Amino acid sequence: MKKRYSHFIKPIQIVIDLFIINIITYFVYDKEYLNIFFLSYISGFWLITSYFFGFYEVYRYTITLQLLKLLVKQFLFFIFGYFAYFGIFREGAIVNNQFLILILTIIGISFVKLSWLFLLKTYRSFGNNFRTTIVIGFDDSSKNIIKLFKSKSNLGYKYLGFFSDKIYKDKEYLGNLDAVFEYATKHVVDEIYCSLTLLSNEQIKKINKFALDRDIFLKLIPNSSELYSKNQSIEYYDDSLMVLNVNKLPFDFAENFYLKRFFDILFSIFVCLFILSWLIPILWVIVKLESEGPLVFKQGREGLNGKEFTCYKFRSMRMNKQSNEIHAAKNDIRVTKVGAFLRKTSMDELPQFLNVLLGDMSVVGPRPHLETLSLEYQKDVDNYLKRHIVKPGITGLAQIGGYRGEIKKRSDIKNRVRLDIFYIENWSFFLDIKIILQTVLNIFRGEEKAY
């Protein structure tokens, strides 16, 4: 079982830095001018600049010099924004302690930032907060990364061994390239390092697909003559040792995860308070008058990492034994008259905002499938399981792209998965907003597959 807690480090650092900025300002700033607007301004400006300049993009291989560069860049822009406030909102006013606040803030945050790096490296040097690694291929480049893992325990890497088609008597030799998949399935492996010199493109693709399915980070050890894709980010270990980071997805960044979750909660609370609060009692009467059974239909669906959760919907069918086996089809005799209206307007999906609040779903994401159907789709579609690395959504890019509802032919599910994966790899907050707006427009326009 993987227990990764490193994703908590960045949010904690952000909270500490904001606390330092606000507590210094509160106690030092001229009380005549102190107000919530100024505190909000400098906090917001700090967050915006830190996001754009990657102030919190500090990794276990980040060296002190890189950290100092981040501090200088961040404070240069923060100083500009700090004095801009007085030029715009306090023009002509004499505000005491401006420079004292700035100096104390720079000293405080710099001290905490450098101390944090030192303490983390010390903590990792004792064998804590480590990532388990294996290396595929055994050439000079691979040997350099292995040497680094062994010599610098403060980086927090636990090296397990290497794989190669050439047989070695070395105790760290774990088998040939085909043995990688079985080993990484049976053991906890956080990162795989592959030599580009010794592996073919097909082998890299195969390992990449396996790593994505198993939630393992894949890193490529390049040769100096290689050309690199713009989608690959370069990382430097120990100043000169270069490694390529593969498929760094938007949700690998903690700030994107928290932004999406924050929006999900706010949007869902709004829907629950202003729509579901009065709609539920009305629908309870109408649905009960037409057919027997509960208002809310509960069904097991596949969620994050393939884990099953209970998905809620307004019941649109008469009670039947096939509801957990097949999707609704056009002119389906199981659908009630009220249910047809609910499906046409997508109102049957509204209870899923409760799923969002519970943390099982997101407002936007790949639609959750029945486990029985999911097993069939996995056989037909490559990378199908990649959909499970994010929470399923009430609506999604595939749904507004015309691939909602019933799957009639193999191309339907292939196109749906293609759009789902495009969404995962290219997510942005504004893409979510665009999908939500398009979903609302489609409801009013009417959709051919909304049955």
Side-chain angles (χ1 to χ4, degrees):
M1 179 70 69
K2 294 183 182 181
K3 295 183 179 179
R4 292 175 177 162
Y5 301 109
S6 295
H7 59 276
F8 291 118
I9 293 176
K10 190 183 294 184
I12 292 172
Q13 287 179 322
I14 293 172
V15 170
I16 290 174
D17 287 350
L18 289 177
F19 176 78
I20 291 172
I21 292 170
N22 283 272
I23 203 71
I24 289 174
T25 304
Y26 180 79
F27 283 106
V28 180
Y29 194 64
D30 192 332
K31 294 297 184 289
E32 181 182 349
Y33 299 104
L34 183 65
N35 55 58
I36 191 66
F37 177 73
F38 178 61
L39 294 174
S40 301
Y41 171 84
I42 58 173
S43 297
F45 192 82
W46 177 268
L47 289 174
I48 291 169
T49 53
S50 65
Y51 174 78
F52 282 105
F53 296 107
F55 184 66
Y56 295 103
E57 301 303 315
V58 178
Y59 306 99
R60 55 187 68 228
Y61 50 81
T62 299
I63 60 174
T64 306
L65 181 60
Q66 290 173 312
L67 193 62
L68 291 173
K69 289 179 181 178
L70 283 175
L71 283 166
V72 170
K73 186 165 58 174
Q74 174 70 10
F75 283 125
L76 281 175
F77 283 91
F78 181 69
I79 290 169
F80 172 79
Y82 177 81
F83 284 114
Y85 173 85
F86 297 102
I88 298 171
F89 301 105
R90 287 283 178 264
E91 187 177 2
I94 299 174
V95 181
N96 296 325
N97 302 325
Q98 287 181 8
F99 288 98
L100 181 59
I101 292 171
L102 194 58
I103 291 168
L104 290 176
T105 299
I106 292 172
I107 293 172
I109 290 179
S110 297
F111 175 77
V112 169
K113 191 83 169 175
L114 291 166
S115 298
W116 189 281
L117 182 67
F118 173 76
L119 291 173
L120 266 179
K121 286 186 178 295
T122 303
Y123 181 67
R124 286 166 179 160
S125 68
F126 289 108
N128 301 303
N129 187 234
F130 61 83
R131 284 188 179 273
T132 52
T133 66
I134 57 174
V135 175
I136 302 177
F138 198 60
D139 57 1
D140 289 340
S141 298
S142 303
K143 290 173 185 176
N144 285 335
I145 199 79
I146 291 170
K147 182 180 178 182
L148 183 71
F149 291 153
K150 290 179 176 180
S151 62
K152 297 209 171 183
S153 58
N154 61 3
L155 292 177
Y157 291 103
K158 184 179 180 181
Y159 169 63
L160 301 177
F162 69 92
F163 295 83
S164 173
D165 279 339
K166 183 180 178 181
I167 299 174
Y168 291 86
K169 293 181 179 180
D170 194 310
K171 63 179 181 180
E172 294 171 356
Y173 176 67
L174 300 175
N176 60 24
L177 298 186
D178 292 332
V180 172
F181 309 105
E182 183 180 356
Y183 182 89
T185 301
K186 292 182 177 179
H187 299 79
V188 176
V189 176
D190 293 312
E191 296 183 2
I192 296 176
Y193 289 76
C194 291
S195 170
L196 285 175
T197 308
L198 300 178
L199 300 178
S200 67
N201 288 336
E202 288 304 314
Q203 287 174 316
I204 293 291
K205 287 179 183 178
K206 186 177 179 182
I207 294 168
N208 186 33
K209 183 179 184 303
F210 174 79
L212 287 171
D213 292 342
R214 300 288 302 176
D215 190 27
I216 297 172
F217 290 101
L218 178 63
K219 312 271 187 172
L220 302 180
I221 308 170
N223 152 8
S224 57
S225 62
E226 288 285 347
L227 296 175
Y228 310 117
S229 165
K230 64 180 181 180
N231 295 321
Q232 297 169 342
S233 58
I234 297 176
E235 299 172 346
Y236 287 93
Y237 290 50
D238 197 34
D239 295 333
S240 59
L241 187 57
M242 184 171 68
V243 170
L244 298 180
N245 194 33
V246 179
N247 287 336
K248 205 164 192 178
L249 300 175
F251 292 111
D252 287 336
F253 298 96
E255 60 267 26
N256 291 338
F257 170 82
Y258 291 113
L259 174 62
K260 186 173 176 66
R261 182 62 185 148
F262 179 70
F263 173 77
D264 282 345
I265 292 172
L266 285 185
F267 194 82
S268 299
I269 289 175
F270 176 83
V271 172
C272 290
L273 288 178
F274 296 101
I275 299 178
L276 287 178
S277 59
W278 57 265
L279 185 63
I280 286 176
I282 294 173
L283 285 181
W284 186 85
V285 174
I286 296 173
V287 171
K288 282 283 187 180
L289 286 173
E290 186 175 12
S291 63
E292 294 182 356
L295 169 64
V296 176
F297 174 68
K298 302 175 184 179
Q299 190 175 57
R301 295 287 181 98
E302 283 194 330
L304 183 66
N305 297 322
K307 184 179 178 182
E308 187 176 87
F309 71 97
T310 302
C311 183
Y312 302 118
K313 296 182 71 172
F314 284 133
R315 183 171 60 84
S316 58
M317 293 183 178
R318 296 176 181 83
M319 301 301 292
N320 65 91
K321 295 180 180 180
Q322 294 180 307
S323 57
N324 290 322
E325 298 174 4
I326 56 175
H327 283 302
K330 195 168 186 178
N331 301 318
D332 199 314
I333 59 172
R334 298 174 298 166
V335 178
T336 63
K337 291 180 181 179
V338 175
F341 173 76
L342 293 176
R343 285 177 170 273
K344 191 69 178 175
T345 57
S346 296
M347 288 171 60
D348 62 320
E349 312 284 1
L350 287 176
Q352 286 163 35
F353 283 101
L354 296 174
N355 285 120
V356 176
L357 286 177
L358 291 171
D360 296 322
M361 294 181 67
S362 180
V363 176
V364 181
R367 283 295 295 162
H369 292 153
L370 293 168
E371 186 178 3
T372 52
L373 295 175
S374 182
L375 291 172
E376 292 181 25
Y377 300 153
Q378 289 176 37
K379 299 173 185 176
D380 295 331
V381 185
D382 291 336
N383 292 330
Y384 177 84
L385 292 176
K386 193 172 181 180
R387 302 171 78 254
H388 292 160
I389 66 176
V390 298
K391 291 179 182 179
I394 297 174
T395 185
L397 187 62
Q399 281 60 51
I400 66 169
Y403 297 102
R404 61 167 290 177
E406 185 183 13
I407 303 294
K408 291 183 177 180
K409 51 186 182 294
R410 185 178 295 179
S411 61
D412 289 339
I413 187 61
K414 284 188 174 181
N415 284 316
R416 180 182 291 187
V417 172
R418 176 177 57 82
L419 290 174
D420 286 340
I421 292 176
F422 178 88
Y423 169 79
I424 292 168
E425 293 179 343
N426 297 275
W427 177 88
S428 71
F429 178 71
F430 295 104
L431 178 59
D432 272 4
I433 299 300
K434 180 180 178 181
I435 291 171
I436 291 170
L437 293 175
Q438 188 63 53
T439 300
V440 174
L441 288 174
N442 287 352
I443 290 171
F444 287 107
R445 291 172 181 167
E447 293 185 85
E448 185 182 347
K449 290 189 175 183
Y451 50 77

